[in-house]
């Protein structure tokens, strides 16, 4: 049986395809992000080089930025792409769902992901991490066919951000102008 391979999950509409198995040393070896620490995973050995880690959940809040660390195999250069299904529609094709990209490297890649206050829905959704040999992933790569690499999906819980409570406390230096009135 395929560990972690779920093709009928309601929030995963597609399983990306790689034409070469990740045993070719093209894989994600580690990810650290917002409570997920999935290190030293190696090649998952599943069909299409895909795995859904159902027990790993990132915990984030709107209007906050989180660091991400992605480790490839140390044999071949891998570019990383990260997508979050913010509107819970089962794809990663909507504006702002492509949240991180890095050029191909054999070294650990670090960066930041900002969860905007404009995220349409809070709650549980899916985060996709892909490595693709020799390229810098683009938003169009969330579910396309590649030759070498690996895809890992994770749960992500997005907490609603606190409402902004802006108000005037004091007007320290009032200014008059012909465009201003007291009413």
């Amino acid at each position: 049986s395929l560990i972690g391979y779920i093709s009928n999950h309601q929030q995963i509409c597609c399983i990306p395809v790689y034409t070469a198995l990740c045993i070719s040393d093209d894989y994600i070896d580690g990810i650290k992000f917002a409570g997920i620490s999935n290190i030293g995973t190696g090649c998952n050995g599943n069909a299409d080089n895909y795995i859904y880690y159902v027990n790993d959940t990132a915990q984030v809040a709107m209007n906050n930025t989180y660091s991400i660390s992605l480790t490839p195999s140390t044999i071949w250069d891998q570019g990383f792409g990260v997508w979050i299904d913010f509107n819970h529609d089962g794809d990663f094709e909507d504006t702002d769902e492509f949240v991180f990209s890095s050029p191909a490297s054999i070294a650990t890649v670090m960066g930041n992901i900002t969860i905007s206050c404009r995220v349409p829905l809070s709650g549980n959704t899916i985060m996709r991490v892909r490595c693709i040999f020799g390229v810098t992933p683009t938003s169009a790569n969330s579910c396309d066919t590649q030759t070498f690499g690996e895809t890992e999906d994770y749960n992500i819980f997005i907490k609603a951000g606190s409402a902004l409570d802006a108000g005037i406390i004091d007007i320290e230096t009032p200014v008059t102008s012909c465009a201003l009135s007291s009413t």
Side-chain angles (χ1 to χ4, degrees), residues 81-180:
V82 179
W83 296 259
I84 299 174
D85 184 13
F86 286 127
N87 64 353
H88 308 207
D89 68 348
D91 67 46
F92 303 101
E93 298 172 4
D94 302 288
T95 303
D96 300 329
E97 290 187 335
F98 183 54
V99 296
F100 182 81
S101 183
S102 74
S105 171
I106 61 170
T108 297
V109 173
M110 298 179 71
N112 292 306
I113 293 175
T114 298
I115 309 301
S116 169
C117 58
R118 294 175 297 146
V119 169
L121 297 170
S122 59
N124 290 310
T125 192
I126 299 294
M127 177 177 75
R128 171 158 292 168
V129 180
R130 285 192 85 183
C131 75
I132 303 172
F133 168 70
V135 302
T136 301
T138 67
S139 62
N141 296 131
S142 70
C143 204
D144 65 355
T145 299
Q146 296 290 327
T147 303
F148 299 104
E150 183 183 30
T151 302
E152 297 180 356
D153 282 348
Y154 293 87
N155 295 311
I156 183 168
F157 180 79
I158 302 171
K159 181 181 171 194
S162 58
L164 295 176
D165 186 13
I168 298 172
I169 295 172
D170 191 13
I171 299 175
E172 299 216 0
T173 313
V175 176
T176 351
S177 171
C178 51
L180 299 175

Side-chain angles (χ1 to χ4, degrees), residues 18-31:
Y18 294 93
T19 57
L21 293 177
C22 65
I23 56 174
S24 63
D25 290 321
D26 293 282
Y27 56 82
I28 301 165
D29 198 35
I31 174 175

